[in-house]
């Protein structure tokens, strides 16, 4: 058993499992939540939606406040809520900022010392975690996986989808950082994880740069609140992503939601729509 | 303006207002959340559902994790999320226990010193708060009000409904303390708020004692999880309430939900049903 199940909680007719496992890619114990809808069984495995959380969050925020379970239960979709970074690697400065280090892994594989030690969230999310889950939970269908996320996790969802054609059936995002090479959060993170001198690498992890190179059509749903302070401050830049989509002829729908902020009140309001978006592909 | 609005947050098409006001009954600043559904306006005021939270909670827990807004938005019902006690009265011992004092007002008017000073949550919830809300928010319909609550707040909802015939159109509860005179939580609270020597008073605040005296028919919905540790420990005693209902010929439906615990994962799963229950009476 690679996972320890620390709690099993009834939720919307299914089960929310609180899991922990020693991860090689991140060199530490990783916690996460896994929601199994009532319909999931080893004879009828459920498709899977990964929800990547944003800065400062853990796998708990989405499970407690996102209300993905309501629609996921109805549609028969499992939801994976991973953590947002390694924890407790004892790297100097790791816990100093809310937007870098702990809680801020940005879903990349760091190449710069000292973060190259365990800040390998790209490998963790796209390789180690799904392999471990599919090996252990026969209620999950490894052939039907979609991804979504919020803010930094929206960046993660978009880039992991675009970098790995065929891995995910669909992608959507809530208030994603879509052009990190051009916003303060992204610049700080990429400088720390890749180095200032490796700027050519940065664009490999930028959704706006990646989108035109994606080999297939896309149908990407994005919600952004017009009252979102991080949107107003230019951390999200969905207009740049839309422009890139238009130039490249890619399908991207950005819905500007009147007055919504960056919080889980925003996410919970539209969580059902994003599960529906995934369901269109997962249940096709 | 008796309320200060410290934040206005978009949620499920409506608005969640974070409010604060100086309350006379509790002798302190009281915070709360008010959800206004998208349909609410001064020309078409919305009926109101009070949600009373449980031990250790504030008005934030239900608003963030209860998932009431989803169905309340759909039905056009406003939701009030009050705090669970006065705060900061500087009574010695007030913050020492999770189940007495701060966060544990039990929705009664304390008569014993020193808690008689401001622990007047019954007056606050049934009189001062609704009067203040209806005076200020013309989007609320004072003639259509229902009540629900969780655990200690379930006790509050049941007893305030039963003590005030006609005040509320309906009542329901999640894992309520239904027979506080016979459980450790209730005994501790009533001893502290009324005194050991005033045991005759205790039954005036016990739903199981009050139910047979209620002058009208009832239609009370209660959900209790069979995996709820506080249920197993005899803190909730819904069987006693059911027995009293049967003897008195009152309508009480207790649904024992298989495997559910005492958490907001339980509440959020059934929140829609409780809003529907209130809607049956509020929108009749």
């Amino acid at each position: 058993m690679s996972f320890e199940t620390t709690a099993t909680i009834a939720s919307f007719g299914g089960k929310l499992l609180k899991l922990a496992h020693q991860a090689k890619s991140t060199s530490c114990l990783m916690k996460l939540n896994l929601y199994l809808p009532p319909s999931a069984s080893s004879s009828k495995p459920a498709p899977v939606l990964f929800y990547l959380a944003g800065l400062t969050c853990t796998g708990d925020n989405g499970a407690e406040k996102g209300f993905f379970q309501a629609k996921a239960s109805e549609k028969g979709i499992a939801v994976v809520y991973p953590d947002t970074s390694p924890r407790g690697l004892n790297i100097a400065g790791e816990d100093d900022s809310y937007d870098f280090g702990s809680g801020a892994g940005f879903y990349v594989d760091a190449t710069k010392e000292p973060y190259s030690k365990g800040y390998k969230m790209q490998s963790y999310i796209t390789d180690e975690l799904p392999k471990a889950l599919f090996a252990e939970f026969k209620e999950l269908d490894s052939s039907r996986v979609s991804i979504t996320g919020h803010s930094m996790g929206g960046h993660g969802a978009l880039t992991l989808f675009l970098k790995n054609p065929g891995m995910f059936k669909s992608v959507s995002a809530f208030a994603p950082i879509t052009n990190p090479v051009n916003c303060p959060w992204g610049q700080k993170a990429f400088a720390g994880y890749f180095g200032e001198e490796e700027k050519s690498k940065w664009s490999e992890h930028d959704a706006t740069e990646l989108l035109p190179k994606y080999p297939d059509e896309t149908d990407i749903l994005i919600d952004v609140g017009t009252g979102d302070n991080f949107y107003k401050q230019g951390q999200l830049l969905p207009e740049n992503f839309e422009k890139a989509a238009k130039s490249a002829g890619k399908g991207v729908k950005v819905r500007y939601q009147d007055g919504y902020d960056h919080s889980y009140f925003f996410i919970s309001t539209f969580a059902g729509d994003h599960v529906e978006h995934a369901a269109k592909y997962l249940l096709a």
Side-chain angles (χ1 to χ4, degrees), chain A:
Chain A
M1 299 287 277
S2 66
F3 291 95
E4 184 196 358
T5 303
T6 58
T8 300
I9 302 166
S11 172
F12 289 97
K15 289 186 292 188
L16 187 76
L17 306 181
K18 297 192 109 46
L19 304 175
H21 69 141
Q22 281 295 338
K24 280 184 189 139
S25 47
T26 58
S27 305
C28 68
L29 184 81
M30 295 294 288
K31 294 181 182 175
L32 65 143
N33 288 286
L34 167 62
Y35 179 67
L36 294 174
S39 59
S41 69
S42 52
S43 59
K44 197 193 162 215
V48 182
L49 177 62
F50 276 74
Y51 169 77
L52 305 185
L55 290 168
T56 76
C57 291
T58 69
D60 288 345
N61 302 67
E64 292 176 1
K65 302 186 187 179
F67 296 113
F68 294 94
Q69 281 105 269
K71 184 65 76 175
S73 169
E74 187 190 317
K75 293 284 176 187
I77 294 173
V79 187
V80 179
Y81 301 96
D83 204 348
T84 54
S85 76
R87 301 282 171 179
L89 296 184
N90 296 316
I91 296 174
E94 183 183 35
D95 299 329
D96 291 355
S97 314
Y98 82 96
D99 56 0
F100 185 73
S102 292
F106 271 83
Y107 307 100
V108 296
D109 284 355
T111 53
K112 190 185 173 200
E113 291 283 341
Y115 287 91
S116 54
K117 186 189 165 198
Y119 278 73
K120 302 283 187 188
M121 288 299 289
Q122 176 172 334
S123 294
Y124 176 69
I125 298 292
T126 59
D127 186 47
E128 185 173 8
L129 176 59
K131 275 186 186 153
L133 286 170
F134 295 132
E136 186 148 328
F137 295 97
K138 299 303 176 193
E139 304 94 328
L140 303 179
D141 183 346
S142 64
S143 72
R144 291 182 292 159
V145 182
S146 282
I147 194 163
T148 187
H150 171 232
S151 195
M152 175 185 74
H155 146 76
L158 292 171
T159 55
L160 298 183
F161 175 88
L162 294 168
K163 283 189 261 191
N164 298 284
M167 183 178 284
F168 301 103
K169 298 285 185 199
S170 69
V171 63
S172 71
F174 302 82
I177 302 170
T178 63
N179 194 189
V181 305
N182 286 319
C183 83
W185 276 341
Q187 288 163 350
K188 178 176 177 179
F190 289 2
Y193 294 135
F194 304 123
E196 283 286 0
E197 61 287 356
E198 296 283 353
K199 281 209 170 163
S200 62
K201 259 194 205 156
W202 291 21
S203 61
E204 294 168 29
H205 307 282
D206 182 293
T208 298
E209 300 276 348
L210 286 164
L211 183 62
K213 298 172 193 149
Y214 189 74
D216 209 342
E217 289 177 11
T218 60
D219 174 17
I220 300 175
L221 172 66
I222 291 175
D223 280 310
V224 181
T226 63
D228 182 328
N229 283 328
F230 299 117
Y231 166 56
K232 294 180 196 169
Q233 290 163 15
Q235 295 281 19
L236 311 179
L237 303 171
E239 297 87 353
N240 296 5
F241 192 65
E242 280 186 295
K243 207 183 198 178
K246 204 171 176 187
S247 296
K250 300 293 185 188
V252 169
K253 183 171 194 176
V254 181
R255 306 190 302 187
Y256 293 90
Q257 303 287 3
D258 191 35
Y260 281 84
D261 64 15
H262 201 70
S263 75
Y264 273 86
F265 291 110
F266 159 65
I267 298 173
S268 59
T269 299
F270 301 104
D273 290 356
H274 287 245
V275 175
E276 292 268 13
H277 180 77
K280 218 171 19 170
Y281 295 91
L282 292 173
L283 308 177

